[in-house]
Amino acid sequence: MAGRIQTMILTPRPTQTPSFRHRQLNFPATRTTAYCTRSVLFNRSRSISSPVRIRANQRPDQIDDNGSGGAKTLGKSLLNFADNNFLPLALIGGVVSGLANPTLGCLADKYYLSKFSTFAIFITSGLTLRNGEIGDAIEAWPVGVLGICSILLFTPFLSKIILQIQLQPQEFVTGLAIFCCMPTTLSSGVALTQLAGGNSALALVMTVVSNLLGILIVPFSISRFIAAGIGVSVPTKELFRSMVITLLIPLILGKIFRESFKGLADYVDRNRKLFSKMNAVFLSLAPFIQVSRSRSMLLMVKPSVFLVAVGMGVLLHLILLSFNVLAIQGFSTVSGSNQLASAKKKNATAYVLVASQKTLPVMVAVVEQLGGAFGESGLLVLPCVAAHLNQIIMDSFLVNFWLRKDLASKSAKVA
């Protein structure tokens, strides 16, 4: 089109009057852009009268640059969003996958993939555990003691309050009360602490110690707060062996590998973000498997009743978060520690995340040993599955909020 117009411009006026009339447009020879404004070109049966801008030096492949550039920008924005919210997206994806296709989740449960994921998380934790972080955990031992007391001694008192709620089936209420007496999560608290940049060594210590001690303390808590003095048989020996195999041994193995191979330690330190995402993937297997196992029972319960139970679980976790935030603030004020502000923040992050969560696998093992003393086992576990997922997803968004806040404060300091 541009070549056609240039030919028209450079061709001299013919000596003979043409058989049709037209307006001749003269353009300066030095300009590279030809403008046709309200020009009329009669080409037998076709006329063009709208304003047209044509660049003589424009290539046809540049026409869609704006569209492709917009698509690239959108794709980059989506990738950045996925990178910044990797953990909550992974967890939500696990829940949705379990609801959509429970077959794979049940197959994973059949081959103990959940235990493998916990084992892998603690191996990774051992690989990323620096010697300096162990020193930080030892230095923060008062916070660790406070966390263990909160997990095993303080928060079980909430079960008394939960038992006052009237809801049918009553197993939903009893199950959440039992859930309050459990130790902290086996893996999610540690993984979230690592993602948040908290004191991961302190989180590891609180997790391992509270679960090992919890095997001895949980039966007493259930008897006192829920069973009203009725004896409860809990498989202490089996639970203790399971905790050692899935928590303590992989943690020690990971640390041994790190100290034995210098190149491995350097690689892990250079790719800590990659290992954090690996932990997030392993962590997402827990909701995927639990939802897949419970899907059929979920469909049997009235949606309104189950939503009330889910709301109770959300409220329970908010209460635990609020209690532990106030506890660590009060402890910091009373203790008057001389630690740096950054160290205090890392310790507080580990404390709040680990002490505010409750473990589901130990709860399931305990309920299986109760033999129906408190009602149908499936109904006891079902609201706790939702509470377990809620606490992980809520805390993942909380961690993401903290990371964004830290990034904004760092950017403000640089500016």
Side-chain angles (χ1 to χ4, degrees), residues 159-209:
S159 59
K160 281 287 187 182
I161 300 175
I162 291 176
L163 287 174
Q164 304 305 313
I165 300 173
Q166 299 298 320
L167 182 68
Q168 293 298 327
Q170 187 63 27
E171 285 91 340
F172 279 6
V173 178
T174 306
L176 286 173
I178 296 173
F179 192 60
C180 288
C181 299
M182 295 298 112
T184 188
T185 50
L186 302 179
S187 55
S188 58
V190 176
L192 288 166
T193 301
Q194 290 175 339
L195 288 171
N199 190 336
S200 57
L202 178 62
L204 284 167
V205 171
M206 287 192 291
T207 298
V208 173
V209 174

Side-chain angles (χ1 to χ4, degrees), residues 18 33 45 67 70 79 105 115 122 135 143 178 205 216 227 241 284 286 300 317 319 347 377 379:
T33 305
S45 63
L79 288 176
K115 290 185 178 181
F122 276 86
V143 179
I178 296 173
V205 171
L216 304 175
R241 184 173 63 250
S284 67
M300 294 172 58
H317 188 57
I319 292 173
N347 295 340
S377 299
L379 294 177

Side-chain angles (χ1 to χ4, degrees), residues 13-336:
R13 184 187 296 267
T15 56
Q16 296 180 353
T17 303
S19 60
F20 58 88
R21 294 179 181 180
H22 68 279
R23 294 181 184 179
Q24 181 67 37
L25 301 177
N26 297 323
F27 299 91
T30 57
R31 300 184 63 173
T32 58
T33 305
Y35 296 91
C36 298
T37 306
R38 298 186 60 83
S39 62
V40 181
L41 299 178
F42 295 97
N43 187 8
R44 293 186 180 181
S45 63
R46 192 172 185 180
S47 65
I48 303 175
S49 60
S50 59
V52 180
R53 170 180 284 187
I54 303 170
R55 296 188 182 275
N57 59 350
Q58 184 177 13
R59 295 179 305 181
D61 60 350
Q62 292 178 338
I63 294 174
D64 294 329
D65 277 355
N66 291 336
S68 61
K72 289 179 180 179
T73 304
L74 177 61
K76 187 175 181 180
S77 300
L78 291 175
L79 288 176
N80 288 336
F81 177 81
D83 185 63
N84 294 331
N85 301 274
F86 188 82
L87 179 59
L89 289 176
L91 294 172
I92 294 173
V95 173
V96 173
S97 300
L99 289 172
N101 186 12
T103 305
L104 290 177
C106 293
L107 187 65
D109 180 62
K110 179 181 178 180
Y111 290 100
Y112 306 103
L113 194 59
S114 59
K115 290 185 178 181
F116 166 77
S117 64
T118 302
F119 191 92
I121 286 176
F122 276 86
I123 280 224
T124 305
S125 299
L127 287 173
T128 58
L129 185 59
R130 298 171 175 146
N131 292 332
E133 292 175 343
I134 298 176
D136 293 339
I138 296 173
E139 186 177 351
W141 69 266
V143 179
V145 172
L146 176 66
I148 294 170
C149 291
S150 174
I151 294 166
L152 297 177
L153 301 179
F154 301 154
T155 54
F157 278 93
L158 289 173
S159 59
K160 281 287 187 182
I161 300 175
I162 291 176
L163 287 174
Q164 304 305 313
I165 300 173
Q166 299 298 320
L167 182 68
Q168 293 298 327
Q170 187 63 27
E171 285 91 340
F172 279 6
V173 178
T174 306
L176 286 173
I178 296 173
F179 192 60
C180 288
C181 299
M182 295 298 112
T184 188
T185 50
L186 302 179
S187 55
S188 58
V190 176
L192 288 166
T193 301
Q194 290 175 339
L195 288 171
N199 190 336
S200 57
L202 178 62
L204 284 167
V205 171
M206 287 192 291
T207 298
V208 173
V209 174
S210 67
N211 276 277
L212 293 178
L213 290 179
I215 295 168
L216 304 175
I217 297 176
V218 164
F220 169 77
S221 298
I222 293 176
S223 299
R224 179 179 179 184
F225 297 114
I226 301 171
I230 299 175
V232 178
S233 175
V234 177
T236 304
K237 184 178 179 180
E238 290 78 3
L239 282 175
F240 189 85
R241 184 173 63 250
S242 176
M243 295 299 137
V244 170
I245 293 174
T246 56
L247 273 69
L248 197 56
I249 291 179
L251 178 63
I252 295 173
L253 284 176
K255 183 59 178 172
I256 290 174
F257 290 153
R258 178 184 175 87
E259 297 300 325
S260 300
F261 305 100
K262 181 64 176 176
L264 178 61
D266 293 338
Y267 176 79
V268 171
D269 289 340
R270 288 195 307 268
N271 298 275
R272 294 181 79 85
K273 190 173 183 180
L274 172 63
F275 280 86
S276 295
K277 288 185 177 180
M278 288 171 56
N279 269 356
V281 173
F282 291 137
L283 186 59
S284 67
L285 291 175
F288 172 57
I289 292 173
Q290 293 297 337
V291 170
S292 298
R293 289 178 56 187
S294 307
R295 182 178 181 272
S296 59
M297 192 168 292
L298 277 170
L299 298 177
M300 294 172 58
V301 179
K302 291 182 179 180
S304 58
V305 175
F306 184 69
L307 286 176
V308 171
V310 170
M312 290 170 56
V314 171
L315 182 60
L316 171 63
H317 188 57
L318 289 175
I319 292 173
L320 290 174
L321 283 173
S322 302
F323 171 78
N324 286 307
V325 167
L326 294 175
I328 192 62
Q329 288 179 347
F331 179 79
S332 299
T333 302
V334 173
S335 63

